[in-house]
Amino acid sequence: MLELADVDTAYGAAPMLRNVTLNVRAGELVCLLGPNGAGKTTTFMTACGVVRAQRGKVRVMGNDVAALGTEKLAALGVGLVPEGRRLFPGLTVIENLRLGYDAVSNRGPKFDLQLDKMSNLFPRIRERLRQTAGTLSGGEQAMVALARALIGEPKLVIMDEPSLGLSPKLIGEYFEITQEIHRRGTTVLLIEQNAEMGLRIADRGYILVKGRVAQEGPARELLSSKTAKSLYL
Ligand SMILES: Nc1ncnc2c1ncn2[C@@H]1O[C@H](COP(=O)(O)OP(=O)(O)OP(=O)(O)O)[C@@H](O)[C@H]1O
Ligand SMILES: [Mg+2]
């Protein structure tokens, strides 16, 4: 569903990603781990075409992202949860969700029906639908950002550190919801700092260090691997 093949990226003259090859197959939950500054967000931006690969290929559901353009991704069935949530603070929760819904052109079910589904999946935001997003707590904003990505029923969701800044209880809740989405058939690429929690719900994982894939494998193997531990703990 998502394929990065031998990708290099750079910011100006500074190289960032080097030879990154990463695959997320249909139905998988894949976790991308790595220390601060390793290039995880750069990988997210490259996967959605905001940052152009200098070398290599980026394909989403068989489409070359460079040719497709970022704005077409939602219609293709890709939901994005960017770093820092990026909600519209002056708009209400419903209006933020509406934007996520409207980004998907080929929508089957009606908005109200989808809104109802999201309210059931995220009971915390049900009573806050008419509150402006900027006045929500950090945890509530995190839930709205995920609901906005899910409301168009994407086939693939890419999440960049969605649990950052959440309390341990909310992190647990967030991971349960992520697991539930995956169980219902959505393919997930989860970028995480909580390596252990991420790997516990993932099928496979990649560890990015200084712009390169330092290790990859089945999540269970990474969890018990000494090298993996030395890289991310
Ligand atoms: N627009 C930019 N221009 C120049 N350098 C950048 C730009 N964006 C990111 N970088 C640099 O690229 C490196 C990787 O950044 P990136 O945001 O991908 O890391 P990350 O793995 O997501 O880190 P974190 O865990 O802190 O979110 C960092 O050193 C960062 O300063
Ligand atoms: Mg980042």
Side-chain angles (χ1 to χ4, degrees):
M1 284 207 129
L2 171 66
E3 185 190 4
L4 274 72
D6 291 325
V7 165
D8 286 2
T9 66
Y11 292 115
M16 188 51 242
L17 299 182
R18 290 281 186 90
N19 224 31
V20 169
T21 293
L22 179 152
N23 290 297
V24 184
R25 301 180 200 105
E28 277 191 318
L29 195 167
V30 172
C31 202
L32 174 61
L33 310 165
N36 292 120
K40 301 182 298 299
T41 298
T42 305
T43 305
F44 176 96
M45 299 290 211
T46 309
C48 55
V50 175
V51 170
R52 285 289 166 99
Q54 283 190 316
R55 199 178 66 87
K57 281 278 172 217
V58 183
R59 287 193 201 85
V60 177
M61 294 170 201
N63 300 270
D64 184 340
V65 165
L68 186 75
T70 308
E71 66 286 351
K72 303 255 175 67
L73 281 181
L76 205 64
V78 183
L80 299 173
V81 183
E83 189 172 53
R85 341 267 199 233
R86 302 292 166 98
L87 297 175
F88 291 91
L91 299 184
T92 65
V93 170
I94 289 198
E95 287 164 344
N96 270 280
L97 296 179
R98 180 90 220 186
L99 288 173
Y101 183 77
D102 286 347
V104 185
S105 64
N106 186 23
R107 38 206 140 101
K110 292 268 186 297
F111 178 69
D112 289 347
L113 180 69
Q114 287 305 98
L115 185 63
D116 210 44
K117 277 195 202 165
M118 289 303 118
S119 301
N120 288 330
L121 191 59
F122 302 96
R124 276 173 185 278
I125 61 176
R126 193 178 357 217
E127 295 89 40
R128 307 200 168 271
L129 292 174
R130 291 192 165 70
Q131 192 170 327
T132 51
T135 62
L136 296 173
S137 75
E140 289 161 355
Q141 290 189 20
M143 298 297 172
V144 174
L146 181 54
R148 181 180 58 183
L150 294 178
I151 197 161
E153 305 210 310
K155 298 185 197 87
L156 167 70
V157 185
I158 311 177
M159 304 155 77
D160 191 356
E161 301 207 38
S163 68
L164 197 72
L166 299 185
S167 68
K169 183 168 177 284
L170 264 191
I171 289 181
E173 219 172 273
Y174 208 97
F175 274 92
E176 271 169 32
I177 290 170
T178 306
Q179 209 169 12
E180 177 60 23
I181 298 160
H182 176 229
R183 216 180 283 129
R184 292 183 192 180
T186 311
T187 306
V188 182
L189 175 61
L190 175 65
I191 298 174
E192 258 304 325
Q193 287 275 353
N194 292 295
E196 296 222 11
M197 290 189 88
L199 287 175
R200 252 184 253 136
I201 64 167
D203 298 308
R204 291 189 304 115
Y206 290 82
I207 302 173
L208 201 62
V209 179
K210 293 183 182 154
R212 294 175 187 271
V213 176
Q215 205 177 356
E216 63 173 285
R220 223 175 300 120
E221 282 176 22
L222 291 182
L223 264 174
S224 57
S225 149
K226 280 204 181 99
T227 332
K229 281 212 172 91
S230 72
L231 289 169
Y232 68 72
L233 287 182

